[in-house]
């Protein structure tokens, strides 16, 4: 079937058909951990739908989101840079969906060929790094209400299938590095301002 992940959909048909022999589709649930910090990357994933959070661990054991990934991206991009890549943080399912999973050996083989997938991922990498830098700056400089507004805009942008966004205040507190009551106050302020429903 045709790819719904935009990176895979950007491949020429012959490249996609060759890669499709190695792809398997998996369904994932909210809060499921796809990759764990420090573990070797054994698969890369191309989201078809849903929303995924790459988180950074803090010294006190808390987590904070470093990147939000939807159907326009991939999980495990670190494998693009070397054979012994490991996950820099936990990747968690924010909104349930499906992923096209590709064994990292098959991914590295396809990347080494220098073909269309290599070119697409090479263009994606600076965007991913840029987003991570932007999120880091936002986490350092902005208050919780501003960080929540940014996250909501990113999430809605990445959920362009009209499926809607349903996440708990507890989950938002984890990924935004805030306490749950603080998230509730920030969400109420955004609602009063007419920015959320």
């Amino acid at each position: 079937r045709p790819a719904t992940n935009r990176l895979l959909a950007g491949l020429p048909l012959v490249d996609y058909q060759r890669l499709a022999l190695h792809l398997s589709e998996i369904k994932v649930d909210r809060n499921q951990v796809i990759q764990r910090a420090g573990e070797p990357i054994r698969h890369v994933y191309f989201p078809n739908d849903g929303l995924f959070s790459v988180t950074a661990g803090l010294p006190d054991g808390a987590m904070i989101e470093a990147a939000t990934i939807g159907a326009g991206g991939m999980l495990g991009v670190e494998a693009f840079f070397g054979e012994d890549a490991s996950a820099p943080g936990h990747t968690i399912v924010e909104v349930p969906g499906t992923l096209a999973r590709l064994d990292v050996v098959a991914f590295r083989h396809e990347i080494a060929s220098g073909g269309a997938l290599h070119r697409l991922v090479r263009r994606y990498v600076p965007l991913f790094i840029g987003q991570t830098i932007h999120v880091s700056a936002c986490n350092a400089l902005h208050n919780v209400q501003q960080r929540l507004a940014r996250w909501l805009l990113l999430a809605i942008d990445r959920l362009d299938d009209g499926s809607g966004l349903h996440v708990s205040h507890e989950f938002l507190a984890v990924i935004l590095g805030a306490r749950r009551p603080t998230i509730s106050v920030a969400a109420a302020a955004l609602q009063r301002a007419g920015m959320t429903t």
Side-chain angles (χ1 to χ4, degrees):
R1 74 182 181 94
T4 53
N5 173 274
R6 289 196 289 280
L7 284 175
L8 295 181
L11 292 171
L13 183 58
V14 65
D15 293 67
Y16 176 70
Q17 288 175 333
R18 181 177 64 251
L19 200 60
L21 298 173
H22 305 283
L23 291 170
S24 59
E25 185 170 284
I26 60 169
K27 188 177 167 86
V28 292
D29 296 319
R30 188 182 316 275
N31 297 332
Q32 185 174 339
V33 178
I34 305 299
Q35 294 171 322
R36 296 187 183 279
E39 289 187 355
I41 293 176
R42 291 179 168 57
H43 298 91
V44 296
Y45 302 87
F46 299 91
N48 295 314
D49 48 27
L51 198 63
F52 305 84
S53 176
V54 179
T55 63
L58 301 177
D60 65 359
M63 293 186 299
I64 192 164
E65 185 177 70
T68 305
I69 300 168
M74 68 175 285
L75 310 174
V77 71
E78 298 79 14
F80 181 76
F81 299 104
E83 295 179 15
D84 299 322
S86 59
H90 282 31
T91 301
I92 302 168
V93 180
E94 296 176 332
V95 175
T98 60
L99 297 160
R101 180 175 65 186
L102 179 63
D103 182 86
V104 74
V105 174
F107 173 75
R108 296 282 309 145
H109 183 267
E110 191 69 24
I111 291 298
S113 75
L117 184 64
H118 181 274
R119 291 190 295 276
L120 284 171
V121 175
R122 189 180 65 210
R123 286 203 304 262
Y124 171 71
V125 166
L127 299 174
F128 177 78
I129 292 171
Q131 180 203 164
T132 305
I133 291 169
H134 179 83
V135 170
S136 297
C138 180
N139 287 338
L141 298 174
H142 297 151
N143 64 39
V144 173
Q145 185 176 325
Q146 292 167 319
R147 293 190 340 247
L148 176 60
R150 175 203 48 84
W151 186 87
L152 290 170
L153 288 171
L154 280 174
I156 291 166
D157 181 59
R158 282 155 179 74
L159 287 172
D160 57 4
D161 62 355
S163 61
L165 179 62
H166 306 284
V167 293
S168 69
H169 286 192
E170 289 83 1
F171 188 79
L172 289 170
V174 169
I175 63 168
L176 294 177
R179 295 179 353 157
R180 190 214 177 280
T182 307
I183 293 293
S184 296
V185 169
L190 291 177
Q191 242 177 345
R192 283 193 305 275
M195 296 179 188
T196 63
T197 56

